[in-house]
Amino acid sequence: MVIKLDNTNKKLRVGIYLRLSQEDRDKQSKEDDSESIKNQRNILLDYINKHPLFVLTCEYLDEDLSGAGTYRPGFERLIRDCENHKLDVVLCKSQSRFSRDMEIVERYIN
């Protein structure tokens, strides 16, 4: 990840995106927050805590939804917030949590 910082050392507003697909949900017990979501959240919060210029602004969550498309309410809200300049950085545990569609990944990374 490359983040360009100016000399002011201002805090960067970070959004984290968590996703659990229906296929993953079927492999786990039906609890409120799945272990996968808890693990994703813990990994990302640990990463933010290790970077003093990061401040968590918002969490975006989609459960039981495939990463093959973009119609996911949390994802839609994340993209809208990015377009409205409410975030400086978006973190996901892995590319596949963001999207399994490489065209979508490349569009938003660039």
Side-chain angles (χ1 to χ4, degrees):
M1 169 176 33
V2 175
I3 299 173
K4 295 180 182 178
L5 299 176
D6 58 22
N7 291 332
T8 63
N9 287 332
K10 74 172 192 157
K11 297 282 187 175
L12 296 173
R13 301 164 298 171
V14 177
I16 61 173
Y17 181 67
L18 314 169
R19 184 182 64 78
L20 180 70
S21 67
Q22 179 61 47
E23 296 81 23
D24 292 338
R25 170 67 79 188
D26 291 341
K27 296 175 191 172
Q28 299 182 24
S29 64
K30 307 285 186 200
E31 37 184 279
D32 288 338
D33 262 353
S34 72
E35 285 302 311
S36 175
I37 291 294
K38 289 177 187 174
N39 290 336
Q40 289 175 55
R41 184 180 291 119
N42 288 337
I43 289 167
L44 296 173
L45 292 177
D46 184 54
Y47 187 82
I48 290 169
N49 288 332
K50 290 178 181 176
H51 292 81
L53 293 181
F54 285 180
V55 60
L56 179 63
T57 301
C58 199
E59 177 180 295
Y60 305 85
L61 172 67
D62 285 311
E63 286 199 74
D64 302 334
L65 296 167
S66 171
T70 59
Y71 184 71
R72 295 172 267 151
F75 184 82
E76 295 289 327
R77 192 168 59 92
L78 167 70
I79 297 304
R80 222 176 15 257
D81 285 354
C82 288
E83 291 171 345
N84 291 323
H85 307 286
K86 293 182 179 180
L87 299 172
D88 300 304
V89 177
V90 173
L91 297 176
C92 304
K93 176 186 168 271
S94 66
Q95 172 191 308
S96 67
R97 295 297 95 193
F98 184 75
S99 179
R100 294 193 182 276
D101 183 334
M102 282 306 297
E103 183 179 325
I104 291 169
V105 171
E106 290 175 4
R107 178 183 335 144
Y108 289 116
I109 287 178
N110 292 322

